[in-house]
Amino acid sequence: MSTLEEHVDIGAPVDKTWDCLHRVDSIPQYVAGVREAHLEGKRTHLDLEAGGRTRELDLEITDRTTEKVMSWQTTGGPDLAGSVSLLPIDREHTRVQARFEYDPGTIKDDFGGPKGFAQAAAIERGLRSDLQQFKTLVEHER
């Protein structure tokens, strides 16, 4: 498994950022390729387009509310996992740290795209862009 970590500082309190993170229907607004997201029982269902292919993924999400950490794992399909941690900088600012765990072969087989260093660079750019979109979403709702 490969692991990628990125972070972004958001001009919003940690509780507001946490609430925005948990609005499943807003995921397509900040995660590239996700066309639709909704809850199905305790799982989050994503319809997405990646590598010119449409896919459906189900995620099992767990929270450590007091620590403001949300972890996720795919159920079925490609084995992907990650977490998002919120750390208060001060009363009006939050650091969002995202961690993404993936198998490079799985990404290539299930989603297409480049291999090796080019794949890692594309995933890094995508995660960074998603975090910037999340920042825009949260700060716009102030």
Side-chain angles (χ1 to χ4, degrees), residues 78-139:
D79 186 21
L80 306 171
S83 63
V84 180
S85 303
L86 305 184
L87 306 166
I89 296 171
D90 59 32
R91 291 179 55 177
E92 295 299 320
H93 297 89
T94 302
R95 174 160 290 163
V96 178
Q97 293 181 316
R99 178 183 178 99
F100 180 56
E101 299 172 17
Y102 65 98
D103 174 60
T106 297
I107 295 291
K108 175 68 177 148
D109 293 345
D110 286 304
F111 299 104
K115 296 190 300 186
F117 180 75
Q119 180 187 73
I123 292 170
E124 183 177 339
R125 278 191 311 276
L127 183 57
R128 205 175 291 132
S129 175
D130 292 347
L131 285 173
Q132 287 298 322
Q133 291 296 332
F134 182 68
K135 172 184 171 87
T136 300
L137 175 72
V138 174
E139 291 179 348

Side-chain angles (χ1 to χ4, degrees), residues 52-105:
R53 303 176 189 171
T54 56
R55 292 251 349 164
E56 293 184 14
L57 285 179
D58 289 318
L59 308 176
E60 188 169 310
I61 296 177
T62 58
D63 282 339
R64 294 194 314 255
T65 306
T66 56
E67 299 169 26
K68 300 289 192 246
V69 176
M70 180 176 72
S71 298
W72 60 270
Q73 170 76 44
T74 53
T75 58
D79 186 21
L80 306 171
S83 63
V84 180
S85 303
L86 305 184
L87 306 166
I89 296 171
D90 59 32
R91 291 179 55 177
E92 295 299 320
H93 297 89
T94 302
R95 174 160 290 163
V96 178
Q97 293 181 316
R99 178 183 178 99
F100 180 56
E101 299 172 17
Y102 65 98
D103 174 60

Side-chain angles (χ1 to χ4, degrees), residues 5-65:
E5 294 183 8
E6 289 288 332
H7 75 272
V8 67
D9 294 341
I10 294 179
V14 71
D15 288 335
K16 179 178 188 249
T17 305
W18 184 250
D19 290 343
C20 286
L21 183 64
H22 284 80
R23 282 200 322 266
V24 172
D25 61 336
S26 69
I27 292 173
Q29 295 177 43
Y30 63 88
V31 178
V34 175
R35 298 181 322 182
E36 185 180 343
H38 59 273
L39 286 174
E40 290 184 355
K42 294 186 178 212
R43 293 194 172 148
T44 299
H45 181 81
L46 304 177
D47 290 326
L48 55 98
E49 187 172 325
R53 303 176 189 171
T54 56
R55 292 251 349 164
E56 293 184 14
L57 285 179
D58 289 318
L59 308 176
E60 188 169 310
I61 296 177
T62 58
D63 282 339
R64 294 194 314 255
T65 306

